[in-house]
Amino acid sequence: MDLYEHLESPMIFKISFNKLLKTYETLANSDDEFVAAKVKRILEIQKPYPELRVGFTELSLLETYKKPIEVILQDTFSPVLTNNEIKTASIPFQNIVFNTSNRFKNIIKNAGDDFVLQIKNMPEDDTYIVTCIVILNFCYGYNLNLKRPFFYEIPDENGILRYYKILYNADFCEITPTESAKKITQEDYDELLDNFGNIALWKEKFPPNSYLFKGFVISNIFDVTDDQSISNIKSNLIIDEECADEDFIENFHKTFQSLLGIKNIKVGFSVYNKEEGLFEPVLGMGNSSFLINSDQPKPCKQALCHGSYDKLLKEKKFYAVSDVDRLYERSQGQAPQLATFKNQGIKSVILAPIADGDDLLGILEIVSSEPKVLNSINANKLNDVMPYIVSAVLRSKREEENLIEAVIQQECTSIHPSVHWKFEKEAKNFIKEQFNGNQAVFNKISFEDIYPLYGQIDIKGSSEARNWATQQDLMLQLNEVKTILNEAFKEEQFPIYEQFIFQIDNYLEGLDTHFQVDSEQQITGFLKHDINPLLEHLTKFEVLHAIINTYKESIDAKVGAFYKHRENYDSTISSINKKMASLLDKKQEDAQKMYPHYFERFKTDGVEHNMYIGEAITKEESFNPIYLYNLRLWQLQVMCEMENAYYQMQPTFPIGLDVASMILVFNQPLSISFRMDEKQFDVDGTYNARYEIVKKRVDKAFIKGTQERVTQKGKISIIYSQKQDEQEYLRYIKFLQSKNYLDDDVEIVELQDLQAVTGLKAIRVSLLYHKDKKDKAFYTYDDLIREIKA
């Protein structure tokens, strides 16, 4: 067989020992008589075989010249080290070796008769290009660095794959161009630099067989199974594949087999759920855990005995059993993990905690059907790979959390932390069903027997204030247009200008006397369809340019109209809502620390909030009515503080609007569920719906027999229906009066009946205010306003 019979390469390869023999010729004149005599003997042995200098391509000649080649390479392949060193003489980048050390021969022998030696990480196209780069460096003096580690993967006598790194010594190589070689210019070199993957271009610059390689390389080979196994584990862990990929799992088993040097081992994982004290299988991997031996979660204390529990979960140390059957008998079957392993035919096992500092993430499980092969000694080899496993689990955990959040966001909305646990639980079930190929349905989220609290700070007269702002802007804009039309009439006495002025006067009169809902729409339409086109026409008069430009500059780009007074109104409403909501959110952080509860707030013309408290929300059997009473008192006190904060900020707002506060008390527990279509919680049941009706209508209710609204500026109104609620809140009011939050003018009033709701009452009491944060005096609302305006 010829060396390049089936090989396409830019080089013609000839096995030659010419360069090595020249080195020997130099040493023949050595002062060291022993060295000189030895090399002269080698040169004499080679002399009858000129082919060893000239070079040959026929591989059969390696056997023909086997003895002289061994003599020539005697210094390179020391007989003393032949059983220890892994070394070959070979042709670079080819799977052709000769004159190997004894250890290499044994490695190939143990691999089996059907094993074919092959460089693992050298693609066919890359071999051609890499050879061209060697020519560039060797023949043209470039210094292109393409040093890559090359490997052999060779199974040992037990079938375990071992990894060997190849390091080439190219001291005895000669490369020369043939007549068919093309001269490589700087321009060629520059082009090749940017086209590594373009095999056609490289073949154009370096045609096949255009250079002659004479010599051989010495391959120094090292067993790097441990390092490569660690690298493979790292690669497998960062690969972006589905966990259920069978090849991924199989490769993972093989990699750990190589690391530990044990054939029949398998690897499993279990995830640690700290909140519920469970071991859970990895999603999408089915029965992936030997410790759980099920596709269902298992309580940690049911999966482990006391000693193994402490070692894994508390000490975060390896737990190894070299002989499961023997230890099972000694424990008399009382250790649950040993019973689980024995039932699966597992004879030895290592459990390794996957921990990020003090935070346990899961358990790495390595098991074998043979006793003693896994033990506390070889468990230490896992220390080198655990950091990569921890990193992969942390990444996987983040991805799962993101996936759970994505499901929650898709199926629900932004969820308050107090109830997030239930959405997370359902999201996990949702994902699990998807992984199992089932039709996934996000189950109903509901909480029963919880107590509601509702409150609002409403901006009084907001509709009237907006209407006034709208009137002022429209009147201002119409008067500006009227001024332009009057000046235009001086330039052109068109009757249409007079008609427009007449129409504007009618609009102004209507705005001044009876502003209606559709007034804004009518005037906006008139300005858009009649006035704007006219202004384009009037720009031909230079005398009108200034006032038209002033008019246009006064128009807000977003709304397309004058927006001075409405901007002040919108800015005031936005500032009030933002500051009140921010204050309430900050206060809520303290309330959550007292006892967890659901909280949500909404910005309308003011800020309203819902709270729900009960055992169903906390997920713990810790609820006591005292937490409800505490939250009610907290709510009343915070509403007083928010009113105070508002009036201290009021002078900074563009418009001086007033607010009125209200609390709704509902004595009976109710049920709420999350409405998927509306993305919010709502009450369940006909009786509970009464609460929602009252909540939506009560702030507009009148005191019975009067036209006076129950909510008033300077007062806080507490709406209720039960006598016990009245007594409870009177106690709270008395307490807050002692702290100078509330005045002494407590009144109890009846409310006119609402649709489908009767028997409501209200406690009303005036608030006491401070003029500013430093002020220690207390003011009623009227006193405060006089002080502010003074």
Side-chain angles (χ1 to χ4, degrees):
M1 177 182 172
D2 197 272
L3 251 177
Y4 51 93
E5 183 177 340
H6 302 293
L7 174 68
E8 187 178 36
S9 172
M11 289 185 187
I12 299 170
F13 288 95
K14 284 189 175 184
I15 299 172
S16 166
F17 303 93
N18 180 56
K19 198 168 183 181
L20 176 58
L21 290 168
K22 285 184 177 180
T23 304
Y24 282 148
E25 288 172 345
T26 303
L27 291 173
N29 300 316
S30 173
D31 294 333
D32 189 327
E33 293 180 0
F34 177 81
V35 171
K38 183 179 180 181
V39 299
K40 286 176 182 178
R41 185 177 65 86
I42 292 172
L43 291 170
E44 282 297 316
I45 291 172
Q46 179 273 322
K47 199 171 184 179
Y49 311 106
E51 296 91 345
L52 297 180
R53 280 186 180 270
V54 175
F56 56 90
T57 60
E58 181 57 43
L59 293 178
S60 62
L61 293 179
L62 286 169
E63 186 62 31
T64 303
Y65 301 129
K66 183 176 180 180
K67 290 296 181 181
I69 289 174
E70 286 180 352
V71 173
I72 293 170
L73 295 177
Q74 192 176 72
D75 285 345
T76 307
F77 290 79
S78 170
V80 177
L81 300 175
T82 190
N83 293 319
N84 183 275
E85 288 184 333
I86 310 172
K87 183 179 287 189
T88 70
S90 63
I91 300 300
F93 314 128
Q94 312 299 322
N95 298 306
I96 298 169
V97 300
F98 57 93
N99 210 79
T100 64
S101 66
N102 285 346
R103 186 175 175 190
F104 183 84
K105 290 175 184 175
N106 291 331
I107 289 170
I108 298 301
K109 180 181 177 181
N110 292 333
D113 295 335
D114 56 350
F115 175 74
V116 177
L117 187 67
Q118 186 174 8
I119 298 174
K120 185 64 180 177
N121 56 332
M122 177 62 78
E124 186 174 337
D125 281 354
D126 281 5
T127 304
Y128 195 105
I129 295 170
V130 169
T131 306
C132 294
I133 292 171
V134 170
I135 294 170
L136 280 171
N137 291 343
F138 201 98
C139 297
Y140 295 95
Y142 291 110
N143 188 27
L144 289 171
N145 187 351
L146 193 68
K147 290 183 179 178
R148 293 174 52 203
F150 298 120
F151 294 91
Y152 291 134
E153 291 184 1
I154 307 174
D156 65 13
E157 64 269 28
N158 297 315
I160 297 171
L161 203 61
R162 302 195 68 81
Y163 302 89
Y164 299 89
K165 186 175 182 179
I166 308 164
L167 294 180
Y168 288 124
N169 181 332
D171 288 348
F172 308 112
C173 301
E174 299 171 276
I175 303 175
T176 54
T178 68
E179 291 181 358
S180 60
K182 296 182 177 181
K183 180 70 175 178
I184 301 299
T185 65
Q186 183 66 39
E187 185 178 347
D188 293 329
Y189 174 78
D190 292 342
E191 185 179 7
L192 290 167
L193 283 178
D194 294 326
N195 287 280
F196 177 84
N198 187 345
I199 183 67
L201 179 64
W202 287 91
K203 287 182 178 179
E204 176 193 330
K205 307 297 183 185
F206 300 91
N209 304 327
S210 57
Y211 289 81
L212 176 63
F213 172 95
K214 284 178 60 177
F216 67 99
V217 294
I218 298 169
S219 299
N220 294 290
I221 303 168
F222 302 91
D223 188 337
V224 292
T225 301
D226 286 355
D227 292 341
Q228 189 60 33
S229 297
I230 293 169
S231 178
N232 289 347
I233 288 170
K234 183 178 179 181
S235 298
N236 284 334
L237 290 171
I238 64 175
I239 213 163
D240 189 17
E241 291 184 53
E242 292 291 331
C243 288
D245 188 328
E246 292 182 5
D247 290 337
F248 170 84
I249 302 300
E250 184 61 28
N251 289 337
F252 215 61
H253 290 327
K254 289 180 178 178
T255 302
F256 271 89
Q257 289 170 5
S258 295
L259 177 67
L260 296 172
I262 304 169
K263 176 65 176 174
N264 62 337
I265 62 171
K266 292 185 177 180
V267 182
F269 293 91
S270 49
V271 178
Y272 177 55
N273 183 331
K274 183 179 180 180
E275 292 182 359
E276 299 188 36
L278 298 174
F279 286 132
E280 299 175 341
V282 178
L283 283 174
M285 289 179 64
N287 186 6
S288 62
S289 169
F290 302 101
L291 180 61
I292 303 172
N293 193 29
S294 169
D295 60 356
Q296 297 298 317
K298 193 173 188 178
C300 299
K301 293 188 176 180
Q302 292 181 22
L304 299 169
C305 68
H306 181 74
S308 58
Y309 181 94
D310 286 348
K311 197 159 193 175
L312 288 167
L313 275 71
K314 294 183 179 179
E315 298 175 24
K316 312 291 191 305
K317 293 182 178 179
F318 296 143
Y319 172 79
V321 180
S322 62
D323 193 332
V324 170
D325 290 342
R326 181 171 62 86
L327 201 59
Y328 178 82
E329 295 299 329
R330 285 178 56 186
S331 70
Q332 299 180 340
Q334 296 302 305
Q337 76 278 9
L338 298 178
T340 302
F341 296 141
K342 185 175 175 62
N343 290 337
Q344 298 173 77
I346 295 169
K347 303 298 183 182
S348 58
V349 61
I350 297 171
L351 300 181
I354 305 169
D356 180 32
D358 293 330
D359 187 14
L360 182 66
L361 306 172
I363 303 293
L364 170 67
E365 308 160 2
I366 304 175
V367 301
S368 173
S369 57
E370 289 184 29
K372 312 249 175 88
V373 298
L374 295 172
N375 49 67
S376 64
I377 296 173
N378 57 15
N380 286 278
K381 296 197 76 172
L382 299 177
N383 285 320
D384 294 325
V385 301
M386 292 310 294
Y388 305 119
I389 293 174
V390 170
S391 296
V393 172
L394 284 170
R395 190 194 74 232
S396 177
K397 187 176 181 181
R398 286 193 296 268
E399 289 173 352
E400 183 186 3
E401 288 170 352
N402 290 340
L403 185 57
I404 289 170
E405 283 299 326
V407 171
I408 292 174
Q409 292 293 336
Q410 176 185 329
E411 299 293 330
C412 315
T413 185
S414 182
I415 302 302
H416 190 263
S418 63
V419 294
H420 190 276
W421 64 271
K422 194 151 189 175
F423 287 89
E424 184 177 288
K425 183 178 179 181
E426 290 303 328
K428 281 186 176 181
N429 290 335
F430 185 95
I431 295 168
K432 182 179 178 181
E433 290 299 309
Q434 285 186 326
F435 271 120
N436 292 335
N438 301 326
Q439 183 67 37
V441 178
F442 199 90
N443 294 323
K444 179 180 179 181
I445 302 292
S446 61
F447 299 94
E448 297 181 353
D449 295 325
I450 58 173
Y451 293 88
L453 297 91
Y454 173 78
Q456 72 171 34
I457 289 187
D458 186 44
I459 298 173
K460 299 298 290 182
S462 58
S463 297
E464 291 83 354
R466 190 193 187 284
N467 288 342
W468 178 86
T470 303
Q471 284 176 295
Q472 297 304 306
D473 281 339
L474 291 175
M475 291 172 70
L476 184 60
Q477 187 168 359
L478 287 171
N479 279 313
E480 289 282 341
V481 172
K482 184 178 178 181
T483 299
I484 294 172
L485 290 172
N486 283 326
E487 292 299 318
F489 190 74
K490 295 177 182 178
E491 302 299 322
E492 291 180 322
Q493 284 74 41
F494 287 179
I496 189 66
Y497 297 164
E498 292 183 293
Q499 191 272 322
F500 283 155
I501 293 170
F502 173 77
Q503 191 169 350
I504 288 172
D505 287 337
N506 283 335
Y507 283 140
L508 289 170
E509 182 181 354
L511 288 171
D512 191 46
T513 57
H514 52 280
F515 181 79
Q516 297 179 346
V517 177
D518 62 345
S519 298
E520 181 180 1
Q521 186 177 358
Q522 290 178 7
I523 295 170
T524 301
F526 165 70
L527 294 170
K528 180 179 180 180
H529 299 297
D530 295 327
I531 299 302
N532 288 348
L534 175 61
L535 293 178
E536 295 302 317
H537 165 72
L538 294 178
T539 55
K540 69 178 183 178
F541 299 109
E542 188 173 346
V543 70
L544 299 178
H545 282 181
I547 56 175
I548 292 176
N549 287 338
T550 301
Y551 170 80
K552 287 183 176 181
E553 289 170 0
S554 300
I555 293 176
D556 184 90
K558 292 182 180 179
V559 299
F562 278 31
Y563 187 59
K564 179 182 177 182
H565 295 88
R566 278 174 292 183
E567 184 178 27
N568 287 339
Y569 169 82
D570 290 341
S571 176
T572 299
I573 297 296
S574 176
S575 296
I576 293 171
N577 287 344
K578 184 177 180 180
K579 293 180 183 298
M580 291 296 99
S582 176
L583 178 59
L584 184 58
D585 289 345
K586 190 173 182 179
K587 294 288 184 181
Q588 250 292 302
E589 294 176 7
D590 296 330
Q592 289 292 341
K593 293 175 184 176
M594 298 178 195
Y595 192 80
H597 56 278
Y598 179 80
F599 169 78
E600 62 182 358
R601 57 150 177 78
F602 309 96
K603 296 177 183 177
T604 52
D605 282 352
V607 176
E608 55 184 290
H609 64 270
N610 289 318
M611 295 185 289
Y612 298 103
I613 188 170
E615 195 165 286
I617 290 175
T618 58
K619 198 177 62 170
E620 299 175 2
E621 296 179 1
S622 60
F623 180 72
N624 186 287
I626 191 66
Y627 296 119
L628 170 63
Y629 304 147
N630 183 69
L631 192 59
R632 284 176 171 174
L633 176 58
W634 171 89
Q635 181 190 36
L636 180 58
Q637 181 171 320
V638 167
M639 296 286 282
C640 296
E641 292 174 3
M642 289 175 68
E643 277 249 6
N644 235 302
Y646 169 72
Y647 279 106
Q648 288 172 12
M649 293 183 288
Q650 189 200 47
T652 66
F653 295 144
I655 299 177
L657 298 173
D658 285 309
V659 296
S661 299
M662 181 203 78
I663 288 173
L664 174 62
V665 184
F666 197 75
N667 189 267
Q668 298 299 317
L670 46 72
S671 299
I672 61 171
S673 62
F674 193 83
R675 308 296 185 195
M676 295 296 181
D677 53 346
E678 299 175 7
K679 308 296 184 186
Q680 66 180 34
F681 278 102
D682 203 355
V683 296
D684 279 337
T686 305
Y687 174 75
N688 294 334
R690 179 175 180 266
Y691 171 73
E692 288 292 333
I693 294 172
V694 173
K695 195 168 70 175
K696 291 175 181 177
R697 298 175 181 171
V698 71
D699 66 321
K700 301 295 189 294
F702 294 106
I703 295 175
K704 200 167 190 176
T706 72
Q707 290 298 307
E708 180 185 347
R709 287 274 176 85
V710 65
T711 55
Q712 292 290 317
K713 59 188 178 184
K715 294 179 180 287
I716 188 164
S717 301
I718 302 163
I719 314 300
Y720 64 96
S721 61
Q722 302 293 323
K723 185 67 176 178
Q724 65 193 73
D725 297 332
E726 178 183 300
Q727 294 171 347
E728 178 184 345
Y729 273 86
L730 286 174
R731 292 197 302 271
Y732 300 155
I733 290 170
K734 191 171 184 179
F735 169 70
L736 292 178
Q737 285 171 337
S738 71
K739 297 182 71 175
N740 293 311
Y741 277 82
L742 298 171
D743 206 350
D744 296 329
D745 59 341
V746 178
E747 58 178 331
I748 297 174
V749 297
E750 291 186 44
L751 273 59
Q752 286 186 356
D753 293 343
L754 303 174
Q755 183 179 351
V757 179
T758 60
L760 291 178
K761 291 185 176 182
I763 302 173
R764 294 201 307 185
V765 58
S766 295
L767 292 105
L768 295 177
Y769 301 93
H770 298 287
K771 188 167 62 173
D772 54 50
K773 291 182 179 180
K774 296 180 180 179
D775 185 23
K776 301 299 181 183
F778 301 101
Y779 303 89
T780 64
Y781 170 80
D782 292 333
D783 293 336
L784 178 69
I785 298 302
R786 281 195 295 270
E787 283 290 324
I788 290 174
K789 293 181 177 180

